Amino acid sequence: MKLTETVWGSKVIVKNLSTMNDLVKRRLSDLGIVEGTIVSLRNALPFGGPCTIETKGQWIAIRRKEAQCIQVEAV
């Protein structure tokens, strides 16, 4: 399932980032979001706005288009 399809606040494991742009994938990797990382969707602004995700105590805002490319699995 996609990260944007998860319930807000539920913890999920990142399974696949292969469909993302390489630059975005590198930036997320620098922030600690790689395959196998536990994340949770914290907020999503309306009208296609950015999503906020939490991992390892830090909150990160990413575009909704990029959040839809993150494949996750429930913990």
Side-chain angles (χ1 to χ4, degrees):
M1 98 177 94
K2 298 176 185 176
L3 180 61
T4 55
E5 297 171 351
T6 62
V7 178
W8 290 7
S10 63
K11 294 184 186 255
V12 292
I13 298 174
V14 176
K15 286 295 179 185
N16 190 358
L17 296 172
S18 65
T19 59
M20 290 192 111
N21 179 345
D22 289 335
L23 293 174
V24 176
K25 192 185 318 183
R26 168 95 190 268
R27 179 68 176 143
L28 290 177
S29 172
D30 291 344
L31 293 169
I33 300 175
V34 294
E35 293 177 5
T37 304
I38 296 176
V39 299
S40 62
L41 182 65
R42 289 300 183 174
N43 195 1
L45 293 178
F47 308 113
C51 299
T52 306
I53 56 177
E54 180 184 10
T55 181
K56 302 176 186 172
Q58 65 181 348
W59 289 46
I60 302 165
I62 60 174
R63 294 183 190 109
R64 188 176 304 239
K65 177 178 91 171
E66 291 155 356
Q68 290 174 342
C69 293
I70 300 174
Q71 297 291 323
V72 296
E73 183 178 282
V75 174

